[in-house]
Amino acid sequence: MVINFVNEKKWVSDIEIINFKYPDRYSELHYVGGGSFGSVMFGIDSVKNEKVAIKKVAVPEKKHIKNILREIIIMRYARNLHVAQQILVYMDLNDGLPNSIYIVMENCGKSLRHYISEKSQNN
């Protein structure tokens, strides 16, 4: 299943089209934010009836694949209150190589940027 979301960048006058591919079990996806790493959507896992975050990581060049996958593996085993837990990792392949890597993780409700902004405003 493919869904297109339109994200109007505040700092640029053009519009970016974000193509998100995701398994059927996820629904009610809405765009949360993005940056140089990729994009993030919030949605619902209809099988577990839980809120999830899906991060789409763009793979700019083949030479970066190994480092991206290594970081995903390390983060999968990081058990800490301050680290969102991974649920699923899947890839959009092109000629057998990842074009994009998707990381489904628990939805913490807010982005790290939002928490940092709240903290700085309260100090």
Side-chain angles (χ1 to χ4, degrees), residues 19-60:
N19 295 315
F20 240 79
K21 296 182 180 181
Y22 59 94
D24 291 337
R25 70 186 285 170
Y26 302 108
S27 62
E28 301 180 35
L29 271 74
H30 62 278
Y31 181 78
V32 178
S36 60
F37 66 88
S39 306
V40 177
M41 307 286 266
F42 282 166
I44 303 291
D45 181 339
S46 59
V47 173
K48 294 184 176 182
N49 198 28
E50 295 176 348
K51 294 179 181 178
V52 295
I54 304 176
K55 179 187 283 189
K56 177 183 179 181
V57 180
V59 180

